[in-house]
Structure formats: structure tokens, C-alpha cells
Amino acid sequence: LNYVILLQYLGHPQESIDVLFTLSKSYPDDYRVYMYMAFAYDTLRNDPDKLTYAMKAMDLYNNSSEEAKNSAEPNALAKLQGMIP
């Protein structure tokens, strides 16, 4: 995921989406994959897919272990929550 974050920071959201699709096959229950997918789609000018991935990420987050919830990045989680109406 660090590589994805770097790609997004450097302004390469489509490349990060490609990596995230690959990661989603190996980690289908990791909310962070879908959270960063939502962020990447948001960078692509409010693409409607951002809401789909934001909602999936929140659903996975809400159903994850307490350990996973406690390790969540507060700023990223707040950004994610702000994407959902």
C-alpha cells in the first residue's frame, strides 16, 4: 500500500488504481485497498466509482477486527467518511 500512496502523492491515480485492482484479488477484505481506490477515483474528478469504493471500504472497516480499527489512520478515515453522503 505504501507504493499506492506514493503513486497517488506523485499524481498518478490511474497507476495506483491498477496496483489496487491487483491487491484487491489478494486482499479482498482489507478496507484500506478500497479506501485508497476511492481516493484515487476522487482525484480523477469525482468519478462515480469513488462512492462505490468508499462505501465498500466503510463496510469492510465496520466489519473488521478491533485491532484493524485501532490501527486505522484517523485522517484517511475522516477523508473516507467525508466522501459518503
Side-chain angles (χ1 to χ4, degrees), residues 29 31 60-72:
D29 297 326
Y31 77 90
L60 288 170
Y61 172 79
N62 289 330
N63 291 306
S64 47
S65 68
E66 287 302 313
E67 181 181 345
K69 288 180 182 178
N70 291 336
S71 68

Side-chain angles (χ1 to χ4, degrees), residues 38-81:
F39 295 165
Y41 277 111
D42 188 43
T43 302
L44 295 174
R45 310 238 179 209
N46 290 322
D47 189 294
D49 287 332
K50 83 171 183 179
L51 182 58
T52 301
Y53 290 111
M55 291 175 63
K56 182 170 178 83
M58 280 307 300
D59 184 52
L60 288 170
Y61 172 79
N62 289 330
N63 291 306
S64 47
S65 68
E66 287 302 313
E67 181 181 345
K69 288 180 182 178
N70 291 336
S71 68
E73 301 169 43
N75 292 336
L77 194 57
K79 180 178 178 181
L80 179 65
Q81 290 169 329

Side-chain angles (χ1 to χ4, degrees), residues 2-22:
N2 289 337
Y3 180 59
V4 167
I5 295 167
L6 179 63
L7 286 171
Q8 290 183 8
Y9 178 78
L10 294 173
H12 301 289
Q14 188 58 56
E15 289 178 53
S16 72
I17 289 169
D18 296 341
V19 174
L20 287 161
F21 271 120
T22 301

